[in-house]
Each structure stands twice: as C-alpha cells, then as structure tokens.
Amino acid sequence: MIIVMKPTATQENINNVVRKIENAGLRTHLSTGEEVTIVGVIGDKKLIANLEVNMLEGVDKSVRITEKYKLVSRDFHPADTIIDVDGIKIGGEELVVMAGPCAVESLDQLLEAATLVKKSGAKFLRGGAYKPRTSPYDFQGLEEKGLKILRQAADEVGLKVVTEIVDKDDIPRMEEYSDILQVGARNMQNFQMLKALGRSKKPILLKRGLSATISEWLNAAEYIMAGGNEQVIFCERGIRTYETFTRNTLDLSAVAAIKELSHLPIIVDPSHGTGRWQMVQPMARAAIAAGADGLIIEVHPHPEVALSDGNQSLKPKNFDRLMKDLEAIAKIMGRTL
Ligand code: PEP
Ligand code: MN
C-alpha cells in the first residue's frame, strides 16, 4: 500500500502516519517529491489490510498495490532514481556508455580497448574476469588476475569498471576491483547472491534472465533493494524466443515497460541482445530512442581473435562511429552523451 500525503501535509502529519504504520508492525519507505510525500508500506499482507490511515490528518488517499515488488516500483517512488558512481550519473540527463571486450584476456588487450573506448566517449570499461560460459571447455576467464588487469587498465585511462560476479563468496574481492557489480542473465534468480548483494555498497547492474518476464526481473531487483542496497540498474540483454538468426531477441519494449513500472535506470546490451556485430549499431541507436539511460557494448580491438563473443564485438572504429550517431539521437531525446 502507498499513502499519498496532501501537498499541505506537515512533517508532524507525516511522522504521525509513519508512527501508526510502525506501531502496527509494518515498515515504511518515504519518497519525498517536490509536491507530495508518499509513504510506502511494507510487510505482512494481513496487517496491511487492517491498517486504517485515511482519517489521519494530512493524508490525501491510500492506494493498495497488488504487485509483490514495492521498493522498485514507481508507485512507491515516482521520481526517477539517479545512481551516482563517483560523479558519473546513471539515469540522469546524460547517457552512460559502458564498453570493452567480453572477457579480459591480457593487459595489452585491455589497455588497447580501454584507450580506444575512452577516446570515443565511454565512461565505463567492461570485461569479464569470471565467464559463465555455456560449455565447460570454453575460456573461463582469468579470475582475480583478470580483475587486476581490468582495474589497472581502467585507472590508467580514466574509466570506471563494471564486471560480472558469479559467486556470492566473491563479493569482497569484486568490490575491491570494480565500481559496479554485474549480475549476469544466468544469475538473475540466484536469490542467495541477490540477498548478499543487497548488503553491498556498490551499485548492481542486473541483467534480465534468459527467459525472465518483466515481473520476475522486477522482483529480482526487489531482492537487492529489500536487503538495503537501493542502487540497482536494469540491463535488457535479449530473451530467448523461437528465432535463431539472432542469438537472443532484444526486447526494446522492456525499456518502456521498466520506465513505466519502476523508477530505476535501465540500460541496453545490444551485443548479447543480437549476437551479431552487424546489428549492434542499429539496435543501440534504437535503444536510446526508446528511452534507455545508456548502453553496455562489447568492443574488441581484434574481434577475429577474441577468446569469447568475437562475433558480436564491434571494432573500435565502428564503436566510434556509433557514438557519433548516438550523440545526435541523444539530442532529439533531450539528453546528452
Ligand atoms: C556478459 O555481459 O559478458 C554476459 C555474459 O552477459 P549475459 O549475462 O547477458 O549473457
Ligand atoms: Mn559476452
């Protein structure tokens, strides 16, 4: 349930409402907007059903929320959430692009990639040190050595780091080397890991599961937020359909859906979303036109020798071209890049 306070409600009115809710054994979540304050109520359904607050001074109305997710919901928090990573704002006016190879392969490879993507305007360096590969015989990543390379390359050129976490026991190590922790599609419903990430101080990039509905995805974000970490960024990366020409079907309608249902930022991954480098540029352009807050794109200095996902990796010159196109689209969308 949410309780919408009147624009004229005083702080004392709000405190009274909060007290009444908490005395009933429920928790509250306050969203203070420019005009009105919204008090979100979280807890046992039966207790909420018995809660009577409409008569309290300063209350405009109470609205029952039927969805299970609450903290991620725009009803609870009408204004867009902006996530600040050392001054880089995700979800604000400026679009944020994260780029780099699928996997960290060597320091030379990462430094070359980092230098080029930075020059084109990327703000984050991506690269997997722990790779969740479909086959156990494929390259599994350089693990901690990869994390060190990623950090070093990013620091040398002045980028932030986003990298995938695959095991909740790795959280302290991952926090040491990265600025955003990425939950991959295969772990979107790894609930133990989501709960543990709820206790992390780092923002979480939550990729959509291979076959996850929007509602399952929102609930996965709710797990992280319910644990106390309110810094969640969604990432649409394609879902499994009957189509085989593309690796996945990039669901750009998810951008509009998430914007409607949640206040959290959403970015798009056109690389995994299509699996074909030829389609990355058009889908990236479309994602920004659809309202995404940014992109995460695989860029490899030499895709033909990449140890993973070479087929969907852009060459740096194509990435540079794309960034110029995005600048123009951003302007139409009232945003900057
Ligand atoms: C990745 O970003 O490297 C990755 C493995 O993506 P996903 O989890 O979306 O497959
Ligand atoms: Mn990849």
Side-chain angles (χ1 to χ4, degrees):
M1 181 162 80
I2 57 168
I3 295 148
V4 183
M5 302 299 294
K6 288 182 181 154
T8 51
T10 63
Q11 190 57 47
E12 202 190 328
N13 296 156
I14 297 168
N15 293 347
N16 269 342
V17 171
V18 168
R19 204 169 313 123
K20 169 122 192 196
I21 297 166
E22 292 181 351
N23 285 345
L26 295 157
R27 283 183 299 130
T28 54
H29 176 272
L30 284 192
S31 168
T32 315
E34 270 174 32
E35 300 256 306
V36 295
T37 293
I38 291 177
V39 185
V41 186
I42 308 157
D44 189 282
K45 256 194 291 194
K46 283 193 209 95
L47 292 178
I48 294 178
N50 291 331
L51 194 66
E52 200 31 86
V53 287
N54 285 335
M55 303 305 284
L56 292 181
E57 208 169 325
V59 170
D60 181 7
K61 59 183 171 188
S62 60
V63 184
R64 308 239 164 235
I65 308 278
T66 45
E67 293 90 8
K68 286 249 165 61
Y69 54 85
K70 308 209 181 294
L71 298 169
V72 305
S73 154
R74 204 178 267 288
D75 292 332
F76 256 54
H77 189 292
D80 286 342
T81 284
I82 298 175
I83 293 172
D84 191 326
V85 188
D86 288 334
I88 299 173
K89 296 190 168 63
I90 304 171
E93 191 182 309
E94 193 171 352
L95 301 171
V96 175
V97 177
M98 310 178 183
C102 178
V104 179
E105 299 169 9
S106 68
L107 181 58
D108 281 352
Q109 171 232 22
L110 255 260
L111 270 175
E112 193 178 353
T115 308
L116 293 165
V117 301
K118 163 90 184 179
K119 214 162 90 193
S120 300
K123 295 280 181 346
F124 279 79
L125 182 62
R126 64 145 290 147
Y130 298 85
K131 294 306 301 176
R133 304 304 297 278
T134 301
S135 161
Y137 307 119
D138 287 337
F139 177 58
Q140 302 287 308
L142 297 181
E143 304 186 342
E144 190 160 4
K145 185 173 161 221
L147 292 177
K148 288 187 174 147
I149 291 175
L150 190 58
R151 188 75 260 174
Q152 187 183 337
D155 286 347
E156 276 189 32
V157 305
L159 290 167
K160 297 287 163 204
V161 165
V162 56
T163 194
E164 179 169 355
I165 180 161
V166 295
D167 186 331
K168 73 173 170 41
D169 294 339
D170 291 339
I171 292 178
R173 192 179 324 148
M174 304 293 292
E175 286 177 332
E176 196 183 321
Y177 294 106
S178 42
D179 301 297
I180 294 183
L181 303 180
Q182 174 179 328
V183 175
R186 291 154 193 81
N187 276 307
M188 190 205 83
Q189 285 188 318
N190 181 340
F191 296 119
Q192 291 307 323
M193 189 158 88
L194 298 178
K195 282 184 195 173
L197 289 170
R199 297 188 288 274
S200 174
K201 295 273 176 291
K202 295 282 181 185
I204 310 300
L205 182 68
L206 180 64
K207 288 194 138 194
R208 185 175 180 182
L210 302 167
S211 306
T213 63
I214 302 275
S215 165
E216 286 164 343
W217 194 15
L218 289 161
N219 276 295
E222 186 82 11
Y223 263 92
I224 300 169
M225 287 191 79
N229 186 350
E230 305 205 330
Q231 305 184 89
V232 182
I233 305 151
F234 289 105
C235 177
E236 162 61 35
R237 49 77 71 205
I239 47 173
R240 184 156 292 188
T241 67
Y242 51 79
E243 184 54 67
T244 55
F245 178 65
T246 44
R247 179 178 179 181
N248 292 293
T249 297
L250 186 65
D251 178 15
L252 287 183
S253 75
V255 174
I258 291 291
K259 285 283 171 199
E260 183 181 326
L261 298 170
S262 177
H263 53 91
L264 295 169
I266 175 168
I267 69 167
V268 169
D269 174 351
S271 310
H272 295 87
T274 63
R276 303 180 70 249
W277 70 266
Q278 298 91 332
M279 298 178 73
V280 169
Q281 288 159 296
M283 291 301 99
R285 295 192 297 256
I288 297 307
D293 298 299
L295 296 155
I296 182 165
I297 299 179
E298 287 186 340
V299 178
H300 196 293
H302 311 283
E304 60 290 350
V305 294
L307 294 183
S308 69
D309 287 351
N311 287 344
Q312 64 191 40
S313 299
L314 285 185
K315 289 185 177 160
K317 71 167 179 359
N318 287 331
F319 176 67
D320 192 64
R321 177 75 212 279
L322 170 63
M323 291 294 276
K324 295 202 166 71
D325 291 348
L326 295 178
E327 225 177 288
I329 297 170
K331 206 180 272 176
I332 296 171
M333 299 300 295
R335 307 188 80 157
T336 55
L337 180 67

